[in-house]
Amino acid sequence: MIKKYLMASLILGASALPGVAKSDPLAFDPAAFTQGEITMPDGENVAFKAYEGIFYVKNVEDSTYQTLNIYVPEKLADLPEVPILLRTYVGGYMASTAKAPSPSDATGRALKEGYVVCIPGSRGSNSTIERDGKTIYTGTAPNGLLDLKAAVRYLRYNDAVIPGSSELIFTDGTSAGGAMSSLLGSTGNCHDYEAALKKMGAAEARDDVFAAICYCPITDLNHADMEYEWLYGCTNTGVRNLSADQIVISDELAAECPAYIDSLGLREDDGTPLTSANYKDYIKKFLMASAHKALEEGCEIPDTIGFTFYQDKFGPMGGPSSINAPQGKPGGPGNGRPDEFGQGRPMGDDGRQAPSFGPGNAPRFNKTSDFVTALDLDKYLSYVATMTPLKTPPAFDQMGVLIETPSPENKVFGNEKGEAANFTDFSLRHRLHNDKASLDKDMVRRVEVMNPMNYIGTDHATVAQNWYIRHGAKDRDTSFLVPINLATKLKNSGKNVNFALPWNRPHSGDYNLDDLFSWISATINNTTGK
Ligand code: DHB
């Protein structure tokens, strides 16, 4: 669809467009742009129109953060509907300003592809204003999310005048931003947010989105502590080296996790019910698939980190070649090549590592006959903990349990005065030394509206149909259960989910943009039939 506004606004001005009056503070002004350009890593210059510093609510509380920027490439993609990438730079649950596109992340790449880019700012745990001589914290949860939802509404409200289609919004974020993206994807048009959005003066428009791109989402916050300890408890006395007090907390938390897993009622692709009894095998499948893909792409995986490999071929030196060949399978111990694993090329990261079989260096991995056969999960988790020290228990709601320091999550669940707060009964009880203590009603509600798991598979919200979720195979900022549960619940509810734990990836986002943008393109084509 060629944008309707071009002709209409030239002839009549924006005020003539249906539903958006000129005096309307939420009306997008197509004439209010500057010209910009970025140079991509390959040297290509991508020119765009920049619409910056647009307030997306009528009742602006925090003018530093409640604005958005829109970038429209000079060369719009030749598609029936041009998508809009909505990228949030939220990190650490802190405030984030509206930013300019970057050549090195998905924003620059989207412009190069001819897509429209929107980069909203949003309030967060550290945003403050002065009112009546007092410092007010403006970004306590869920305010940052409300801002982002208001930004989506702004795009929808002005769909007739903003190039690109608000029916094709792809949200994108990393870590706390990945959590925000998952919330944008899962809470569309949900009544739970309505009153607050109205109060802010958000546009009267839908706020569901087409797709959510979530890199290492730090979410399901009220279960993340138990999930972390249930998974990583195996390292407590080893590499994690916890104190006796920490082990007590770790064990208490871990003990709560099986009931949570069982309560989710998740299923594997083949319909097998997932329970706390088979869940670790399910995690292993994702890690083994990740390792397998890395090997296919020419990466080297040490044989000391828990994987067992089967290699059905003979090595280039003529003798049996094997990577940990299991008993009874062809192969045997090393074949004299000192750089077989760990010494040669570095381990890859989700395909960015080009296979590099140099002269005289025969491929060592046969895509059709070699595979990863088993994983010692505890060994692999110890390896992850060796790469980056694990968080100490509780990993998220930590304030007042064994240390006083508030986590980013304690801060974002804090109050207007900037006082951090607990957001689980577990930690509150430990802090207050009171087994009967529980979160007050308002905190229960705030925690609830910050958890995408509460909306997926329900009829309370319009959940995005398309999801791209990544969590690095050595990312320990939250446990593997968080992204796996998210992806599985979405899949079980009939969504189109592209999920992986990319090999050798730490906590990071917007990597392997070729993979992301081919998924975006395929998703659009599947929908529009182009
Ligand atoms: C982020 C990382 C964390 O480990 C966390 O607990 C919260 C946020 C982040 O990078 O955004």
Short mmCIF file of all heavy atoms in Angstrom, two decimals, residues 9 24 36-37 39 44 55 70 119 134 146 163 190 194 224 229 261 277 321 357 366 386 442 450 455 460 493 496 505:
data_model
loop_
_atom_site.label_atom_id
_atom_site.label_comp_id
_atom_site.label_asym_id
_atom_site.label_seq_id
_atom_site.Cartn_x
_atom_site.Cartn_y
_atom_site.Cartn_z
N SER A 9 -1.69 14.98 2.11
CA SER A 9 -1.12 16.03 2.93
C SER A 9 -0.57 17.16 2.06
O SER A 9 -0.60 18.31 2.45
CB SER A 9 -0.05 15.48 3.85
OG SER A 9 1.01 14.99 3.08
N ASP A 24 -4.77 18.69 17.44
CA ASP A 24 -4.55 17.48 18.23
C ASP A 24 -3.07 17.35 18.57
O ASP A 24 -2.23 17.21 17.68
CB ASP A 24 -5.03 16.29 17.38
CG ASP A 24 -4.89 14.96 18.11
OD1 ASP A 24 -4.23 14.93 19.16
OD2 ASP A 24 -5.43 13.97 17.61
N GLY A 36 18.68 12.93 7.29
CA GLY A 36 19.80 12.28 7.96
C GLY A 36 20.37 11.16 7.11
O GLY A 36 19.79 10.77 6.08
N GLU A 37 21.51 10.65 7.55
CA GLU A 37 22.17 9.57 6.80
C GLU A 37 23.06 8.78 7.76
O GLU A 37 23.68 9.38 8.65
CB GLU A 37 23.02 10.19 5.69
CG GLU A 37 23.53 9.19 4.68
CD GLU A 37 24.24 9.88 3.51
OE1 GLU A 37 25.44 10.18 3.66
OE2 GLU A 37 23.58 10.12 2.49
N THR A 39 26.13 5.59 7.69
CA THR A 39 26.97 4.75 6.83
C THR A 39 27.03 3.36 7.44
O THR A 39 27.45 3.19 8.59
CB THR A 39 28.39 5.35 6.73
OG1 THR A 39 28.25 6.69 6.24
CG2 THR A 39 29.27 4.54 5.78
N GLU A 44 27.83 1.40 2.63
CA GLU A 44 26.64 1.96 2.00
C GLU A 44 26.06 3.09 2.85
O GLU A 44 25.95 2.98 4.07
CB GLU A 44 25.58 0.86 1.83
CG GLU A 44 24.32 1.37 1.14
CD GLU A 44 23.22 0.30 1.04
OE1 GLU A 44 23.54 -0.90 1.14
OE2 GLU A 44 22.05 0.70 0.88
N PHE A 55 6.36 14.03 21.26
CA PHE A 55 5.68 13.56 22.48
C PHE A 55 4.56 12.60 22.09
O PHE A 55 3.76 12.90 21.22
CB PHE A 55 5.12 14.74 23.28
CG PHE A 55 6.21 15.61 23.85
CD1 PHE A 55 6.44 16.89 23.36
CD2 PHE A 55 7.02 15.13 24.87
CE1 PHE A 55 7.45 17.68 23.88
CE2 PHE A 55 8.03 15.92 25.40
CZ PHE A 55 8.25 17.19 24.91
N ILE A 70 11.13 8.93 14.79
CA ILE A 70 10.74 8.07 13.66
C ILE A 70 11.70 8.35 12.51
O ILE A 70 12.00 9.52 12.21
CB ILE A 70 9.28 8.34 13.23
CG1 ILE A 70 8.32 7.93 14.34
CG2 ILE A 70 8.94 7.59 11.93
CD1 ILE A 70 6.87 8.30 14.09
N ILE A 119 12.06 4.76 17.41
CA ILE A 119 12.83 4.53 18.64
C ILE A 119 12.24 5.40 19.75
O ILE A 119 12.52 6.60 19.83
CB ILE A 119 14.34 4.84 18.44
CG1 ILE A 119 14.87 4.10 17.20
CG2 ILE A 119 15.11 4.46 19.70
CD1 ILE A 119 16.32 4.36 16.90
N LYS A 134 10.26 18.52 45.46
CA LYS A 134 10.62 17.12 45.77
C LYS A 134 11.06 16.39 44.51
O LYS A 134 10.59 16.69 43.42
CB LYS A 134 9.40 16.39 46.36
CG LYS A 134 9.00 16.86 47.73
CD LYS A 134 8.13 15.77 48.38
CE LYS A 134 7.52 16.30 49.67
NZ LYS A 134 6.09 16.61 49.54
N LEU A 146 4.18 1.21 30.05
CA LEU A 146 3.06 2.05 29.61
C LEU A 146 3.53 3.04 28.55
O LEU A 146 2.84 3.29 27.56
CB LEU A 146 2.46 2.80 30.80
CG LEU A 146 1.77 1.92 31.85
CD1 LEU A 146 1.42 2.73 33.09
CD2 LEU A 146 0.51 1.27 31.27
N PRO A 163 4.61 6.92 7.24
CA PRO A 163 4.94 5.85 6.30
C PRO A 163 5.15 4.52 7.04
O PRO A 163 5.54 4.50 8.21
CB PRO A 163 6.23 6.33 5.64
CG PRO A 163 6.18 7.82 5.79
CD PRO A 163 5.51 8.07 7.10
N CYS A 190 -4.85 -4.86 26.20
CA CYS A 190 -5.32 -5.48 27.43
C CYS A 190 -5.91 -4.44 28.38
O CYS A 190 -5.33 -3.38 28.61
CB CYS A 190 -4.16 -6.21 28.09
SG CYS A 190 -4.64 -6.97 29.63
N GLU A 194 -5.43 -0.11 30.61
CA GLU A 194 -6.26 0.91 29.98
C GLU A 194 -6.37 2.20 30.81
O GLU A 194 -6.14 3.30 30.29
CB GLU A 194 -7.66 0.31 29.73
CG GLU A 194 -8.57 1.15 28.89
CD GLU A 194 -8.00 1.46 27.51
OE1 GLU A 194 -7.46 0.54 26.87
OE2 GLU A 194 -8.10 2.63 27.09
N ALA A 224 11.72 -15.96 38.48
CA ALA A 224 13.09 -16.08 37.96
C ALA A 224 14.07 -16.54 39.04
O ALA A 224 15.03 -17.26 38.73
CB ALA A 224 13.53 -14.75 37.36
N GLU A 229 17.85 -20.92 40.73
CA GLU A 229 18.45 -21.85 41.70
C GLU A 229 18.18 -23.30 41.34
O GLU A 229 19.02 -24.17 41.56
CB GLU A 229 17.96 -21.52 43.10
CG GLU A 229 18.32 -20.11 43.56
CD GLU A 229 19.77 -19.74 43.32
OE1 GLU A 229 20.66 -20.57 43.59
OE2 GLU A 229 20.01 -18.60 42.84
N ILE A 261 6.89 -25.11 37.53
CA ILE A 261 7.00 -25.73 36.19
C ILE A 261 5.74 -26.57 35.92
O ILE A 261 5.13 -26.46 34.85
CB ILE A 261 8.26 -26.62 36.10
CG1 ILE A 261 9.53 -25.77 36.20
CG2 ILE A 261 8.26 -27.44 34.81
CD1 ILE A 261 10.82 -26.57 36.24
N ALA A 277 9.78 -33.23 35.97
CA ALA A 277 10.53 -34.48 35.83
C ALA A 277 11.30 -34.57 34.51
O ALA A 277 12.40 -35.10 34.45
CB ALA A 277 9.58 -35.67 35.97
N SER A 321 38.42 -41.18 13.62
CA SER A 321 38.36 -39.85 14.20
C SER A 321 37.07 -39.71 15.00
O SER A 321 36.03 -40.15 14.55
CB SER A 321 38.37 -38.82 13.08
OG SER A 321 37.92 -37.58 13.56
N PHE A 357 37.83 -23.67 6.79
CA PHE A 357 38.66 -24.83 6.54
C PHE A 357 39.77 -24.41 5.59
O PHE A 357 39.57 -24.29 4.40
CB PHE A 357 37.84 -25.96 5.95
CG PHE A 357 36.73 -26.39 6.86
CD1 PHE A 357 35.41 -26.27 6.49
CD2 PHE A 357 37.02 -26.90 8.12
CE1 PHE A 357 34.40 -26.67 7.33
CE2 PHE A 357 36.01 -27.30 8.97
CZ PHE A 357 34.69 -27.18 8.58
N ASN A 366 30.75 -33.65 9.58
CA ASN A 366 29.91 -34.01 8.44
C ASN A 366 28.45 -33.76 8.82
O ASN A 366 27.92 -34.38 9.74
CB ASN A 366 30.13 -35.49 8.11
CG ASN A 366 29.34 -35.88 6.88
OD1 ASN A 366 28.23 -35.42 6.68
ND2 ASN A 366 29.93 -36.73 6.07
N THR A 386 31.63 -20.81 34.83
CA THR A 386 33.05 -20.48 34.75
C THR A 386 33.28 -19.30 33.82
O THR A 386 34.17 -18.48 34.03
CB THR A 386 33.86 -21.69 34.21
OG1 THR A 386 33.45 -22.83 34.91
CG2 THR A 386 35.34 -21.48 34.36
N ASP A 442 -1.35 -3.79 45.66
CA ASP A 442 -0.86 -2.98 44.56
C ASP A 442 0.42 -3.58 43.97
O ASP A 442 0.59 -3.60 42.74
CB ASP A 442 -0.61 -1.53 45.04
CG ASP A 442 -0.31 -0.63 43.87
OD1 ASP A 442 -1.10 -0.67 42.88
OD2 ASP A 442 0.71 0.08 43.90
N MET A 450 3.66 -6.88 34.72
CA MET A 450 5.02 -6.88 34.15
C MET A 450 5.46 -8.29 33.74
O MET A 450 6.63 -8.52 33.47
CB MET A 450 6.01 -6.31 35.17
CG MET A 450 5.92 -4.80 35.35
SD MET A 450 6.32 -3.86 33.86
CE MET A 450 8.10 -4.09 33.78
N TYR A 455 -0.38 -13.39 30.18
CA TYR A 455 -1.29 -12.98 29.10
C TYR A 455 -1.32 -13.96 27.94
O TYR A 455 -2.32 -14.06 27.23
CB TYR A 455 -0.91 -11.57 28.63
CG TYR A 455 -1.04 -10.59 29.78
CD1 TYR A 455 0.04 -10.28 30.60
CD2 TYR A 455 -2.28 -10.06 30.09
CE1 TYR A 455 -0.11 -9.44 31.69
CE2 TYR A 455 -2.44 -9.22 31.19
CZ TYR A 455 -1.35 -8.91 31.98
OH TYR A 455 -1.52 -8.10 33.07
N HIS A 460 -7.34 -12.28 27.51
CA HIS A 460 -7.27 -10.93 28.09
C HIS A 460 -6.51 -9.96 27.21
O HIS A 460 -6.50 -8.76 27.48
CB HIS A 460 -6.54 -10.93 29.45
CG HIS A 460 -7.08 -11.92 30.42
ND1 HIS A 460 -6.34 -12.41 31.48
CD2 HIS A 460 -8.29 -12.51 30.50
CE1 HIS A 460 -7.08 -13.26 32.16
NE2 HIS A 460 -8.26 -13.34 31.58
N SER A 493 0.32 -21.98 22.33
CA SER A 493 -0.92 -21.24 22.08
C SER A 493 -1.06 -20.89 20.59
O SER A 493 -1.84 -20.01 20.24
CB SER A 493 -0.98 -20.00 22.96
OG SER A 493 0.02 -19.09 22.59
N ASN A 496 3.59 -18.29 15.96
CA ASN A 496 4.75 -18.59 15.11
C ASN A 496 6.00 -18.16 15.88
O ASN A 496 6.24 -16.97 16.05
CB ASN A 496 4.56 -17.79 13.81
CG ASN A 496 5.81 -17.72 12.97
OD1 ASN A 496 6.65 -18.63 12.99
ND2 ASN A 496 5.97 -16.62 12.24
N ARG A 505 27.05 -17.54 22.92
CA ARG A 505 26.59 -16.16 23.05
C ARG A 505 26.43 -15.78 24.52
O ARG A 505 25.74 -16.47 25.25
CB ARG A 505 25.21 -16.01 22.41
CG ARG A 505 25.27 -15.48 21.02
CD ARG A 505 25.44 -13.98 21.01
NE ARG A 505 26.06 -13.58 19.78
CZ ARG A 505 26.69 -12.43 19.60
NH1 ARG A 505 26.80 -11.57 20.58
NH2 ARG A 505 27.22 -12.13 18.45
#
